[in-house]
């Protein structure tokens, strides 16, 4: 197994059980867990936790990690075609950040007892999900700016509350990720501002990209709360702090104002300020499209997965070499100690 995981912990309840007769019952462990959540304390890797809590964390964190590394692909397509050295350097840094986010997140998920190999196998065999948004193509340079502005903007809206998630290793990883995502969003907005001050053709290119990315960005927040299968448990356990619909609304409210600054229109005839609600109303989302994309039938699902699997297979020699080196070094150290 090629992994930088720490050793998997013996669960605390097993350690104490091994000490003798003073074992806590499952109900007492559960009560301690609930009390920690009520106090707002973090749950840490070696703490007792219900199996369902562990499973939902592995599911969400590994999906999040997969989204980061698959998310490198649509933007990676434009590194060699960036219009200037400055834009190329920014894009390279952004895509590298996303690789780093994937690594922090895989490491956080590994603390729950699932190996990186297992998680990657689930991705490569199509059993694991990753964000629907990365199954859309990046057709022009303006798509790169719009991904920064809308996709990273939606990501931050969703991810800032995860910095207060009840599972310590995930929450701590999210703090750094959110700082970097914030730079990603700003660079996207700035790049679009430059294009919008350019020629009519550049402005049209931005508007076309906004038209294509707006609705898929709203889908990033997941299904409506009423259809969110995991949302109830995740809120109860303090993994999610804010529901899918409330986050989506916060994103719309923030983005409408930014669109005015940019001078682009958002492709929704139903978008209007609702004085009574104090929010922007928006039109219906095409959930059939969302389900098709999540189910593997989006415009780029097959291409994205094939690229990931190829990268994994092409990298096999690096993993083999690293393991062979580690074995040689261990043997040398054992000989020296003998
Ligand atoms: N795409 O019960 P629900 C990024 C699934 S990367 C695909 O509400 P939950 C970035 C959901 O998994 C952005 N699937 O789920 C990187 C569930 O299916 P399963 C990624 C989706 O977990 C590079 C089912 O639908 N961010 O920032 O309570 C460049 C029902 O949903 C999606 C994260 O992963 C979707 N959009 O809530 C730029 C953040 N939505 O698993 C940017 C962490 C839902 O039961 N994740 N599904 O088979 C979360 O916050 C939550 O997992 C979600 C969904 C809000 C996404």
């Amino acid at each position: 197994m090629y992994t930088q995981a720490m050793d998997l912990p013996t669960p605390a309840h097993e350690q104490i059980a091994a000490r003798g007769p003073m074992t806590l019952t499952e109900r007492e462990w559960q009560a301690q867990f609930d009390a920690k959540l009520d106090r707002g304390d973090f749950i840490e890797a070696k703490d007792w936790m219900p199996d369902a809590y562990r499973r939902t964390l592995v599911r969400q964190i590994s999906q999040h990690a997969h989204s980061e590394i698959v998310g490198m692909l649509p933007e990676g397509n434009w590194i060699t075609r960036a219009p200037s050295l400055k834009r190329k350097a920014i894009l390279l840094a952004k895509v590298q950040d996303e690789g780093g986010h994937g690594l922090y997140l895989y490491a956080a998920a590994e603390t729950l007892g699932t190996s990186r190999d297992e998680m990657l196998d689930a991705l490569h065999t199509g059993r694991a999900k990753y964000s629907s948004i990365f199954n859309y193509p990046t057709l022009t340079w303006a798509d790169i700016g719009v991904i920064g502005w809308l996709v990273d903007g939606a990501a931050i809206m969703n991810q800032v509350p995860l910095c207060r998630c009840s599972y310590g290793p995930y929450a701590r990883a999210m703090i750094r990720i959110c700082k970097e995502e914030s730079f990603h969003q700003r660079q996207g907005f700035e790049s679009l501002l430059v294009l919008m001050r350019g020629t009519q053709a550049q402005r049209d290119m931005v508007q076309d990209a906004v038209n294509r990315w707006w609705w898929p960005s709203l889908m990033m927040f997941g299904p409506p709360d009423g259809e969110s299968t995991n949302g109830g448990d995740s809120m109860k356990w303090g993994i999610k702090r804010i529901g899918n619909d409330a986050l989506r609304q916060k994103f719309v409210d923030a983005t409408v104002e930014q669109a005015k600054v940019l001078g682009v229109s958002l492709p929704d005839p139903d978008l209007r300020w609702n004085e009574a609600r104090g929010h922007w109303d928006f039109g219906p989302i095409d959930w059939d499209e969302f389900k098709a994309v999540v189910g593997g039938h989006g415009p780029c699902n097959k291409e994205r997965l094939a690229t990931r699997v190829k990268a994994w297979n092409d990298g096999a020699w690096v993993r083999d070499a690293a393991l062979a080196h580690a074995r040689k070094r261990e043997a040398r150290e054992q000989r020296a100690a003998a």
Side-chain angles (χ1 to χ4, degrees):
M1 179 171 69
Y2 178 63
T3 170
Q4 60 184 41
M6 60 184 197
D7 291 343
L8 297 181
T10 307
H13 60 292
E14 281 179 27
Q15 290 172 22
I16 294 181
R19 277 187 222 141
M22 284 196 43
T23 59
L24 294 183
T25 64
E26 184 89 359
R27 203 177 313 144
E28 287 165 325
W29 286 116
Q30 180 72 50
Q32 284 191 6
F33 172 84
D34 293 341
K36 261 192 194 162
L37 290 185
D38 289 346
R39 284 197 303 271
D41 290 354
F42 282 132
I43 306 297
E44 296 296 343
K46 294 194 175 194
D47 292 346
W48 183 91
M49 61 186 83
D51 285 343
Y53 175 82
R54 187 185 298 275
R55 270 197 309 276
T56 211
L57 278 170
V58 170
R59 177 190 61 80
Q60 176 167 327
I61 303 173
S62 63
Q63 285 179 4
H64 193 168
H66 301 328
S67 303
E68 295 284 354
I69 60 165
V70 176
M72 298 167 78
L73 303 176
E75 293 172 291
N77 280 341
W78 280 89
I79 290 173
T80 54
R81 291 178 284 170
S84 69
L85 182 59
K86 175 181 144 185
R87 294 292 170 199
K88 184 172 179 148
I90 293 173
L91 185 56
L92 266 174
K94 179 179 192 292
V95 172
Q96 282 177 351
D97 282 353
E98 280 147 11
H101 297 173
L103 296 182
Y104 315 150
L105 290 165
Y106 283 125
E110 281 175 306
T111 64
L112 290 154
T114 302
S115 75
R116 195 171 304 193
D117 278 356
E118 286 173 79
M119 292 184 266
L120 287 172
D121 186 59
L123 172 66
H124 296 159
T125 55
R127 284 178 288 122
K129 293 189 169 75
Y130 58 86
S131 183
S132 49
I133 194 76
F134 301 116
N135 293 307
Y136 292 86
T138 39
L139 302 181
T140 69
W141 171 251
D143 288 36
I144 300 305
V146 170
I147 288 180
W149 175 41
L150 295 182
V151 175
D152 287 279
I156 298 172
M157 201 53 95
N158 165 265
Q159 291 175 15
V160 165
L162 294 175
C163 299
R164 292 185 290 114
C165 147
S166 59
Y167 187 56
Y170 191 25
R172 289 188 286 273
M174 289 316 302
I175 292 173
R176 178 154 175 190
I177 291 176
C178 284
K179 285 183 182 160
E180 292 174 354
E181 296 287 17
S182 165
F183 148 69
H184 296 172
Q185 196 269 354
R186 291 292 293 272
Q187 66 78 37
F189 188 82
E190 192 269 343
S191 138
L192 294 179
L193 211 48
V194 170
L195 287 172
M196 290 303 288
R197 289 176 184 154
T199 64
Q200 188 57 44
Q202 287 173 314
R203 281 192 287 279
D204 292 346
M205 187 168 70
V206 174
Q207 186 61 59
D208 171 64
V210 171
N211 293 348
R212 284 181 287 107
W213 288 93
W214 173 248
W215 292 106
S217 299
L218 296 193
M219 294 174 195
M220 285 176 70
F221 296 92
D225 293 343
E227 289 166 36
S228 166
T229 41
N230 307 290
D233 279 342
S234 287
M235 297 284 276
K236 179 184 79 187
W237 287 321
I239 296 172
K240 278 162 98 162
R241 298 286 182 186
I242 307 179
N244 299 358
D245 288 325
L247 285 171
R248 190 170 9 250
Q249 182 70 62
K250 273 163 81 83
F251 174 72
V252 172
D253 291 347
T255 312
V256 168
E257 300 306 324
Q258 293 164 5
K260 288 184 197 162
V261 176
L262 275 179
V264 294
S265 60
L266 297 172
D268 179 357
D270 296 325
L271 200 60
R272 61 182 60 86
W273 177 250
N274 183 325
E275 193 63 49
R277 291 201 311 122
H279 291 292
W280 285 86
D281 287 340
F282 53 95
I285 294 174
D286 183 349
W287 291 114
D288 289 339
E289 176 180 325
F290 172 77
K291 283 179 197 144
V293 173
V294 173
H297 307 294
C300 300
N301 294 60
K302 289 195 176 60
E303 183 187 329
R304 300 287 182 248
L305 211 52
T307 309
R308 276 305 323 156
V309 170
K310 182 176 183 307
W312 176 252
N313 291 338
D314 288 352
W317 69 272
V318 179
R319 296 189 296 278
D320 290 347
L323 283 174
H325 176 66
R327 275 194 295 269
K328 272 189 192 166
R329 198 173 52 191
E330 199 183 338
R332 259 200 312 273
E333 281 167 6
Q334 275 173 1
R335 274 200 304 278

